Amino acid sequence: MNSLGTIFSFVSKDAVNKIQIMENYLKGESGERYRTLQSMVEYELSSNLVDLTKRGSHPDSGCRTILRLHRALRWLQLFLDKLRTSSEDSKTSTLCAEAYNASLANYHPWIIRKTATVAFLALPVRNTFFEVMNVGTAEDVVDMLGEAMPYVSNVYDFTQELYSQHNLLDLP
Ligand SMILES: CCCCCCCCCCCCC/C=C/[C@@H](O)[C@H](COP(=O)(O)O)NC(=O)CCCCCCCCCCCCCCC
């Protein structure tokens, strides 16, 4: 992200902030409960640590923080798949915007959507983007993405199922 330029700092700042929230829970006195998604959900729900309908005394619960990152993982899943199946002359900005509009955009206010759309325009063409990813040739990247995709999908599907069971997919 950082190698893509400061224009994406508003994205990585938010992601880093949310990861920091989860790391703090893991280091906290109930750290044990945050070792798995299931135990986090059970612990926070049974201890009333989640704002279920509107943001209140638990604005940064583990459940809502993971949900925000889970939605971003959906964007990443779509974006990586488009990268993997795109042609040489595809524009990363288009692939990124299509993935964003089909996922995260639905949860962001107008101003974030506009900022993100402008930021995407700064993305390099596909092969330059692959060089930035520093994984090797375009073929190496496509192979690596093909290997990584099942893991990304497994994590996404597992979280989606767990959150859907506990009706946590719309946390404020
Ligand atoms: C490769 C270029 C990366 C472009 C990133 C596309 C995602 C654009 C996200 C724009 C939103 C960022 C601003 C944050 C807004 C937050 O309000 C919003 C809601 O949280 P809140 O309810 O606490 O406020 N936050 C979120 O939706 C979470 C955003 C987290 C984005 C993480 C993106 C990770 C990107 C990983 C890059 C991998 C590059 C690909 C390499 C093969």
Side-chain angles (χ1 to χ4, degrees):
M1 289 288 285
N2 296 330
S3 51
L4 287 167
T6 51
I7 195 166
F8 287 105
S9 58
F10 80 109
V11 178
S12 42
K13 241 184 239 129
D14 186 69
V16 167
N17 175 48
K18 287 179 166 56
I19 292 165
Q20 192 60 61
I21 289 171
M22 297 317 296
E23 285 176 344
N24 293 343
Y25 279 128
L26 264 176
K27 281 186 272 191
E29 74 269 12
S30 309
E32 266 312 298
R33 317 298 287 267
Y34 287 87
R35 293 222 172 282
T36 73
L37 285 176
Q38 301 100 313
S39 55
M40 172 191 76
V41 166
E42 279 152 25
Y43 166 62
E44 290 201 340
L45 289 180
S46 60
S47 314
N48 295 317
L49 296 172
V50 186
D51 291 339
L52 293 171
T53 50
K54 63 180 177 47
R55 259 182 138 185
S57 41
H58 305 288
D60 289 329
S61 65
C63 285
R64 72 97 57 195
T65 303
I66 292 291
L67 176 62
R68 295 311 190 263
L69 293 173
H70 172 63
R71 291 169 174 173
L73 188 63
R74 177 67 180 148
W75 164 80
L76 190 61
Q77 188 181 27
L78 296 174
F79 178 51
L80 296 186
D81 206 41
K82 286 174 182 291
L83 271 180
R84 189 174 60 85
T85 54
S86 60
S87 59
E88 284 269 308
D89 56 353
S90 298
K91 292 175 70 180
T92 314
S93 53
T94 310
L95 303 177
C96 192
E98 284 168 358
Y100 178 72
N101 294 332
S103 57
L104 270 176
N106 302 302
Y107 303 101
H108 289 163
W110 181 88
I111 187 65
I112 296 271
R113 292 203 302 272
K114 286 299 153 223
T115 311
T117 307
V118 168
F120 298 155
L121 296 174
L123 285 171
V125 293
R126 180 182 178 270
N127 281 3
T128 310
F129 186 79
F130 281 177
E131 280 160 33
V132 164
M133 283 167 62
N134 195 20
V135 177
T137 65
E139 290 72 25
D140 296 337
V141 176
V142 171
D143 291 348
M144 181 273 287
L145 291 176
E147 278 168 45
M149 289 313 292
Y151 296 97
V152 172
S153 302
N154 282 350
V155 171
Y156 180 81
D157 294 345
F158 181 85
T159 309
Q160 186 71 9
E161 176 58 31
L162 178 71
Y163 270 56
S164 162
Q165 276 166 11
H166 291 83
N167 194 21
L168 296 173
L169 287 170
D170 295 315
L171 293 176

Short mmCIF file of all heavy atoms in Angstrom, two decimals, residues 1 3-4 79-80 83-84 92 124 126-138 140-142 144-145:
data_model
loop_
_atom_site.label_atom_id
_atom_site.label_comp_id
_atom_site.label_asym_id
_atom_site.label_seq_id
_atom_site.Cartn_x
_atom_site.Cartn_y
_atom_site.Cartn_z
N MET A 1 0.84 -1.19 0.00
CA MET A 1 0.00 0.00 0.00
C MET A 1 0.88 1.24 0.00
O MET A 1 0.69 2.18 -0.76
CB MET A 1 -0.87 0.02 1.27
CG MET A 1 -1.95 -1.01 1.26
SD MET A 1 -3.23 -0.58 0.13
CE MET A 1 -4.04 0.69 1.05
N SER A 3 3.86 1.53 -0.88
CA SER A 3 4.68 1.72 -2.10
C SER A 3 3.82 2.27 -3.24
O SER A 3 4.33 2.66 -4.28
CB SER A 3 5.30 0.39 -2.51
OG SER A 3 4.28 -0.59 -2.57
N LEU A 4 2.49 2.32 -3.01
CA LEU A 4 1.61 2.85 -4.07
C LEU A 4 1.46 4.37 -3.94
O LEU A 4 0.78 5.01 -4.72
CB LEU A 4 0.24 2.18 -3.99
CG LEU A 4 0.21 0.72 -4.47
CD1 LEU A 4 -1.08 0.05 -4.06
CD2 LEU A 4 0.38 0.65 -5.97
N PHE A 79 -10.92 -8.04 -6.08
CA PHE A 79 -9.83 -7.33 -6.78
C PHE A 79 -8.75 -8.31 -7.22
O PHE A 79 -8.32 -8.30 -8.37
CB PHE A 79 -9.25 -6.25 -5.86
CG PHE A 79 -8.10 -5.48 -6.46
CD1 PHE A 79 -8.20 -4.90 -7.72
CD2 PHE A 79 -6.90 -5.34 -5.76
CE1 PHE A 79 -7.14 -4.20 -8.28
CE2 PHE A 79 -5.83 -4.64 -6.31
CZ PHE A 79 -5.95 -4.07 -7.57
N LEU A 80 -8.34 -9.20 -6.32
CA LEU A 80 -7.29 -10.17 -6.66
C LEU A 80 -7.75 -11.09 -7.79
O LEU A 80 -7.00 -11.42 -8.69
CB LEU A 80 -6.90 -11.00 -5.43
CG LEU A 80 -6.26 -10.24 -4.27
CD1 LEU A 80 -5.78 -11.22 -3.19
CD2 LEU A 80 -5.12 -9.36 -4.73
N LEU A 83 -7.51 -9.20 -10.96
CA LEU A 83 -6.09 -9.09 -11.36
C LEU A 83 -5.64 -10.39 -12.01
O LEU A 83 -4.96 -10.41 -13.03
CB LEU A 83 -5.22 -8.83 -10.13
CG LEU A 83 -4.97 -7.38 -9.69
CD1 LEU A 83 -4.07 -7.38 -8.46
CD2 LEU A 83 -4.33 -6.53 -10.80
N ARG A 84 -6.03 -11.49 -11.39
CA ARG A 84 -5.59 -12.82 -11.83
C ARG A 84 -6.10 -13.12 -13.24
O ARG A 84 -5.40 -13.67 -14.07
CB ARG A 84 -6.11 -13.88 -10.85
CG ARG A 84 -5.57 -15.27 -11.04
CD ARG A 84 -6.04 -16.18 -9.92
NE ARG A 84 -7.50 -16.27 -9.88
CZ ARG A 84 -8.20 -17.12 -10.63
NH1 ARG A 84 -7.57 -17.91 -11.48
NH2 ARG A 84 -9.51 -17.19 -10.55
N THR A 92 -5.42 -1.31 -13.79
CA THR A 92 -5.64 -1.67 -12.38
C THR A 92 -6.71 -0.78 -11.76
O THR A 92 -7.51 -1.22 -10.95
CB THR A 92 -4.33 -1.52 -11.59
OG1 THR A 92 -3.27 -2.10 -12.33
CG2 THR A 92 -4.43 -2.19 -10.24
N PRO A 124 -1.16 2.29 -11.00
CA PRO A 124 -0.42 2.09 -12.27
C PRO A 124 -1.10 1.02 -13.14
O PRO A 124 -2.04 0.37 -12.69
CB PRO A 124 0.95 1.60 -11.78
CG PRO A 124 0.68 0.93 -10.47
CD PRO A 124 -0.47 1.66 -9.85
N ARG A 126 -1.47 -2.58 -15.03
CA ARG A 126 -1.39 -3.91 -14.43
C ARG A 126 0.05 -4.39 -14.25
O ARG A 126 0.45 -4.79 -13.14
CB ARG A 126 -2.16 -4.89 -15.31
CG ARG A 126 -2.19 -6.33 -14.86
CD ARG A 126 -2.97 -7.13 -15.90
NE ARG A 126 -3.06 -8.56 -15.65
CZ ARG A 126 -2.18 -9.45 -16.08
NH1 ARG A 126 -1.08 -9.04 -16.73
NH2 ARG A 126 -2.36 -10.74 -15.88
N ASN A 127 0.86 -4.31 -15.30
CA ASN A 127 2.22 -4.89 -15.17
C ASN A 127 3.09 -4.10 -14.22
O ASN A 127 3.87 -4.67 -13.47
CB ASN A 127 2.86 -5.03 -16.55
CG ASN A 127 2.31 -6.28 -17.26
OD1 ASN A 127 1.43 -6.95 -16.70
ND2 ASN A 127 2.82 -6.57 -18.43
N THR A 128 2.91 -2.76 -14.19
CA THR A 128 3.66 -1.95 -13.23
C THR A 128 3.18 -2.32 -11.82
O THR A 128 3.98 -2.46 -10.89
CB THR A 128 3.41 -0.46 -13.49
OG1 THR A 128 3.62 -0.20 -14.87
CG2 THR A 128 4.32 0.40 -12.63
N PHE A 129 1.89 -2.50 -11.67
CA PHE A 129 1.32 -2.89 -10.36
C PHE A 129 1.94 -4.22 -9.92
O PHE A 129 2.34 -4.38 -8.76
CB PHE A 129 -0.20 -3.01 -10.47
CG PHE A 129 -0.87 -3.27 -9.15
CD1 PHE A 129 -1.08 -2.23 -8.26
CD2 PHE A 129 -1.26 -4.55 -8.79
CE1 PHE A 129 -1.70 -2.46 -7.03
CE2 PHE A 129 -1.86 -4.80 -7.56
CZ PHE A 129 -2.08 -3.75 -6.69
N PHE A 130 2.09 -5.13 -10.86
CA PHE A 130 2.70 -6.42 -10.54
C PHE A 130 4.15 -6.21 -10.10
O PHE A 130 4.61 -6.87 -9.15
CB PHE A 130 2.64 -7.36 -11.74
CG PHE A 130 1.29 -8.01 -11.94
CD1 PHE A 130 1.05 -8.84 -13.02
CD2 PHE A 130 0.23 -7.78 -11.05
CE1 PHE A 130 -0.19 -9.45 -13.21
CE2 PHE A 130 -1.00 -8.37 -11.23
CZ PHE A 130 -1.23 -9.21 -12.31
N GLU A 131 4.84 -5.29 -10.77
CA GLU A 131 6.24 -5.03 -10.35
C GLU A 131 6.26 -4.50 -8.92
O GLU A 131 7.07 -4.91 -8.10
CB GLU A 131 6.88 -4.01 -11.30
CG GLU A 131 7.38 -4.61 -12.62
CD GLU A 131 7.54 -3.54 -13.70
OE1 GLU A 131 7.88 -2.38 -13.34
OE2 GLU A 131 7.27 -3.85 -14.88
N VAL A 132 5.29 -3.60 -8.63
CA VAL A 132 5.22 -3.03 -7.26
C VAL A 132 4.99 -4.15 -6.24
O VAL A 132 5.55 -4.16 -5.15
CB VAL A 132 4.07 -1.98 -7.18
CG1 VAL A 132 3.70 -1.66 -5.74
CG2 VAL A 132 4.43 -0.74 -7.95
N MET A 133 4.20 -5.14 -6.65
CA MET A 133 3.92 -6.26 -5.72
C MET A 133 5.18 -7.11 -5.52
O MET A 133 5.27 -7.88 -4.58
CB MET A 133 2.79 -7.14 -6.29
CG MET A 133 1.42 -6.54 -6.12
SD MET A 133 0.23 -7.41 -7.11
CE MET A 133 0.33 -9.04 -6.41
N ASN A 134 6.13 -6.95 -6.45
CA ASN A 134 7.46 -7.55 -6.26
C ASN A 134 7.41 -9.06 -6.01
O ASN A 134 7.98 -9.57 -5.05
CB ASN A 134 8.15 -6.83 -5.08
CG ASN A 134 9.65 -7.14 -5.07
OD1 ASN A 134 10.20 -7.55 -6.11
ND2 ASN A 134 10.28 -7.00 -3.93
N VAL A 135 6.64 -9.74 -6.88
CA VAL A 135 6.55 -11.20 -6.71
C VAL A 135 7.26 -11.92 -7.86
O VAL A 135 7.38 -13.12 -7.87
CB VAL A 135 5.04 -11.62 -6.68
CG1 VAL A 135 4.87 -13.12 -6.59
CG2 VAL A 135 4.34 -10.94 -5.52
N GLY A 136 7.69 -11.16 -8.85
CA GLY A 136 8.35 -11.81 -10.01
C GLY A 136 7.64 -11.41 -11.29
O GLY A 136 7.01 -10.36 -11.37
N THR A 137 7.65 -12.32 -12.27
CA THR A 137 7.02 -11.98 -13.57
C THR A 137 5.49 -11.99 -13.43
O THR A 137 4.96 -12.48 -12.42
CB THR A 137 7.39 -13.05 -14.62
OG1 THR A 137 6.80 -14.29 -14.18
CG2 THR A 137 8.90 -13.22 -14.74
N ALA A 138 4.83 -11.50 -14.44
CA ALA A 138 3.35 -11.47 -14.44
C ALA A 138 2.81 -12.90 -14.26
O ALA A 138 1.87 -13.13 -13.50
CB ALA A 138 2.84 -10.85 -15.73
N ASP A 140 4.31 -15.30 -12.63
CA ASP A 140 4.50 -15.68 -11.21
C ASP A 140 3.37 -15.10 -10.37
O ASP A 140 2.85 -15.74 -9.46
CB ASP A 140 5.84 -15.13 -10.69
CG ASP A 140 7.04 -15.73 -11.41
OD1 ASP A 140 6.88 -16.84 -11.96
OD2 ASP A 140 8.09 -15.08 -11.44
N VAL A 141 2.99 -13.84 -10.69
CA VAL A 141 1.95 -13.18 -9.90
C VAL A 141 0.62 -13.91 -10.09
O VAL A 141 -0.07 -14.22 -9.12
CB VAL A 141 1.79 -11.69 -10.31
CG1 VAL A 141 0.63 -11.06 -9.55
CG2 VAL A 141 3.07 -10.93 -10.05
N VAL A 142 0.32 -14.24 -11.34
CA VAL A 142 -0.96 -14.93 -11.61
C VAL A 142 -0.99 -16.28 -10.88
O VAL A 142 -1.97 -16.63 -10.23
CB VAL A 142 -1.16 -15.12 -13.14
CG1 VAL A 142 -2.35 -16.03 -13.40
CG2 VAL A 142 -1.37 -13.77 -13.80
N MET A 144 0.73 -17.02 -8.15
CA MET A 144 0.65 -16.75 -6.69
C MET A 144 -0.78 -16.40 -6.32
O MET A 144 -1.32 -16.90 -5.33
CB MET A 144 1.60 -15.61 -6.34
CG MET A 144 1.65 -15.23 -4.88
SD MET A 144 0.41 -14.02 -4.44
CE MET A 144 1.07 -12.55 -5.18
N LEU A 145 -1.43 -15.59 -7.14
CA LEU A 145 -2.82 -15.21 -6.84
C LEU A 145 -3.72 -16.45 -6.88
O LEU A 145 -4.59 -16.63 -6.03
CB LEU A 145 -3.32 -14.14 -7.82
CG LEU A 145 -2.67 -12.76 -7.68
CD1 LEU A 145 -3.18 -11.83 -8.77
CD2 LEU A 145 -2.95 -12.18 -6.30
#
